[in-house]
Amino acid sequence: MTTIQLQIKSHNGTERIFAGYPYSKELNQLVKKVTGIKWSQTHRQRDIAVDRQAVSELQKIVTPHAVLDVTVLKKQLQERKDRKAVVPVTKKQVANFRSIQPVNAHVLPAMKQQLKLKAYSSSTARTYLNEMAQLLYALGSIPADDLKPGHLKRYLVYCFEKLQLKENTLHSRINSMKFYYEQVLKREKFFWEIPRPKKHLILPKVLSEDELARLFNSMGNLKHTAMLFTAYSAGLRVSEIASLKIKHIDSGRMQILIENAKEKKDRYVNLSPVLLGILRAYIKKYKHKPKEYLFESEETGLAYPARTIQRIFQIAKSKSGIKKNVGIHSLRHSFATHLLEKGTDIRYIKELLGHFDIKTTQRYLHVSKKDLVNIASPLDDLWRKGKIE
């Protein structure tokens, strides 16, 4: 059977997926049916947009006359994803970076290199670089390396009063500056002199057991059901669901390995027998068998993107009629709160969630109704004593 090799090449300043295969009149006629496919005289190959739908359409059209070899394409897509994860990609961010004056042109490259050496996650690196870029953009021709704590304090006041940045954004901006001056320039920890804004205590948003039942019962897709069951049954982050591999499911010990999670920590969580049954049914019934990741994209063979999993949750929430303003992370919050209400020690919950600090887990004490339901209102006492009519 003919093999069609897919790989990304640059053509007229745009990246396209090129299909390479031995000449065949019959195959040519089939390939030409793909929506938006073009012929490149330069590469002497047909090409399509870098798009899942286009690849999926090509696969459907050529099957069973040819098979797609996506080995190179998968590697290129992963490299593309990694590049985008470290550098800003929006037009506004690029414009700001270009506006940085030559006197500060060295700051971001030096910071980026140190972030890599320290093995910071791509999301943290992206946040730090973006926040530092905002400082450099505001400085203009003033050298960033010459700034003292007093200058930085005035800048943070400007961010709070004039830009009206929220507490979390201000914390991220402080952390980015702290990283540059202490980790890159090796300054003493003078950031102790800069007061941090007090964070607003945001209580976790939780779904009730009835709401969860409606959510799960509204789903018709077995694969999507398995994803959300996994999130709730083990209290996983959406990134952890996406990163799960088949080898991480240990049915012998009834455990799931969460590998290289937040704070670069591995941990084990319990494998629910109900979840195990759902996962086995999903793998048995699904035509596209996952090879490495538990939840793989049929088009690319890579892990499902976190945003896609979030969208699956939102669709299920809409179908079930849940009006709460919650995202998929509410399944993790619900897992912790429901365990607490059933009497599970908060220290065990901390380990299951993979929290670094017990204070993070203690937020659920404010949400749990386990002890609150036994507290009578003082109004009830007044009524019972006959002091009000």
Side-chain angles (χ1 to χ4, degrees):
M1 186 179 290
T2 304
T3 299
I4 301 177
Q5 186 181 61
L6 300 184
Q7 66 180 112
I8 298 174
K9 297 179 185 178
S10 181
H11 182 62
N12 294 331
T14 305
E15 287 189 335
R16 303 273 293 177
I17 297 177
F18 283 79
Y21 56 90
Y23 175 77
S24 164
K25 185 176 179 180
E26 181 186 15
L27 195 53
N28 268 344
Q29 293 302 318
L30 289 171
V31 171
K32 284 197 291 187
K33 293 179 181 179
V34 178
T35 306
I37 196 162
K38 297 179 181 179
W39 169 258
S40 168
Q41 192 65 33
T42 304
H43 295 283
R44 305 293 297 172
Q45 288 179 343
R46 300 194 185 278
D47 59 276
I48 56 177
V50 184
D51 179 77
R52 287 184 192 170
Q53 191 172 349
V55 174
S56 180
E57 185 182 355
L58 174 62
Q59 187 172 30
K60 288 177 182 176
I61 287 175
V62 301
T63 304
H65 304 281
V67 294
L68 298 186
D69 180 358
V70 295
T71 307
V72 176
L73 177 62
K74 284 171 63 175
K75 183 179 179 182
Q76 290 175 319
L77 288 172
Q78 187 61 52
E79 290 172 350
R80 205 166 179 251
K81 182 179 178 182
D82 292 342
R83 286 198 305 271
K84 285 185 177 181
V86 177
V87 299
V89 294
T90 66
K91 291 182 179 179
K92 182 178 179 181
Q93 289 169 331
V94 171
N96 284 350
F97 274 43
R98 287 174 179 168
S99 301
I100 294 169
Q101 297 298 310
V103 69
N104 290 319
H106 65 286
V107 174
L108 295 181
M111 194 171 174
K112 182 178 176 181
Q113 182 182 44
Q114 189 70 0
L115 284 163
K116 283 186 176 180
L117 291 173
K118 293 279 186 179
Y120 275 62
S121 70
S122 59
S123 60
T124 302
R126 181 173 64 250
T127 299
Y128 278 22
L129 291 170
N130 289 343
E131 295 298 345
M132 193 65 188
Q134 301 309 312
L135 170 63
L136 301 179
Y137 181 59
L139 287 175
S141 58
I142 299 172
D145 293 0
D146 293 344
L147 296 184
K148 305 298 181 188
H151 300 128
L152 296 172
K153 283 180 184 178
R154 288 196 292 273
Y155 171 68
L156 291 171
V157 170
Y158 163 77
C159 290
F160 181 74
E161 293 183 349
K162 300 296 182 183
L163 301 183
Q164 296 184 341
L165 298 184
K166 301 296 182 183
E167 288 87 350
N168 285 341
T169 305
L170 284 170
H171 275 274
S172 294
R173 196 154 293 188
I174 291 173
N175 288 338
S176 69
M177 295 188 298
K178 179 180 173 67
F179 182 87
Y180 180 69
Y181 288 101
E182 294 180 4
Q183 300 293 326
V184 179
L185 296 186
K186 306 299 182 184
R187 299 265 181 90
E188 292 184 12
K189 295 186 177 182
F190 63 82
F191 268 83
W192 288 112
E193 301 176 26
I194 299 178
R196 286 179 177 265
K198 188 174 182 179
K199 285 187 176 181
H200 174 62
L201 177 62
I202 302 175
L203 294 181
K205 295 179 180 178
V206 175
L207 295 174
S208 69
E209 290 187 352
D210 287 342
E211 287 170 326
L212 286 168
R214 279 159 45 200
L215 180 81
F216 294 137
N217 290 332
S218 71
M219 305 186 69
N221 185 300
L222 188 56
K223 184 176 185 179
H224 295 172
T225 303
M227 288 179 185
L228 299 194
F229 266 50
T230 303
Y232 174 64
S233 71
L236 303 188
R237 302 176 179 95
V238 66
S239 59
E240 294 169 350
I241 303 168
S243 301
L244 270 182
K245 296 180 178 179
I246 297 171
K247 67 179 182 180
H248 293 155
I249 308 298
D250 187 348
S251 59
R253 300 181 66 188
M254 294 302 288
Q255 289 182 328
I256 303 174
L257 171 63
I258 310 302
E259 193 173 39
N260 197 25
K262 197 173 181 180
E263 305 287 348
K264 300 190 180 298
K265 290 167 57 179
D266 291 353
R267 73 180 190 279
Y268 282 102
V269 296
N270 295 339
L271 172 59
S272 153
V274 174
L275 175 62
L276 179 60
I278 288 287
L279 292 177
R280 282 174 170 167
Y282 143 61
I283 291 176
K284 182 179 179 181
K285 293 181 181 179
Y286 243 72
K287 184 178 178 181
H288 178 83
K289 305 295 183 187
K291 296 180 177 60
E292 181 181 7
Y293 292 96
L294 187 60
F295 304 113
E296 284 181 352
S297 167
E298 295 179 23
E299 288 82 12
T300 64
L302 299 174
Y304 250 65
R307 286 185 180 179
T308 302
I309 303 174
Q310 289 167 339
R311 189 159 59 247
I312 288 167
F313 173 85
Q314 291 299 333
I315 292 170
K317 189 186 87 166
S318 178
K319 283 183 179 179
S320 60
I322 296 172
K323 303 300 182 184
K324 288 180 180 177
N325 183 23
V326 294
I328 192 170
H329 208 67
S330 65
L331 296 180
R332 177 173 162 87
H333 293 325
S334 302
F335 164 82
T337 304
H338 295 163
L339 280 182
L340 193 62
E341 290 178 346
K342 294 177 191 302
T344 307
D345 192 302
I346 195 168
R347 292 171 297 175
Y348 297 143
I349 298 174
K350 170 185 175 292
E351 295 304 317
L352 289 172
L353 293 175
H355 285 162
F356 180 75
D357 192 335
I358 190 68
K359 291 179 181 178
T360 307
T361 320
Q362 286 172 342
R363 292 181 303 161
Y364 298 106
L365 292 172
H366 296 279
V367 181
S368 172
K369 298 181 295 182
K370 179 171 67 73
D371 298 319
L372 293 178
V373 293
N374 297 319
I375 300 175
S377 167
L379 177 66
D380 298 339
D381 287 337
L382 286 175
W383 178 269
R384 190 169 55 254
K385 293 174 182 177
K387 295 188 177 184
I388 55 175
E389 297 181 359

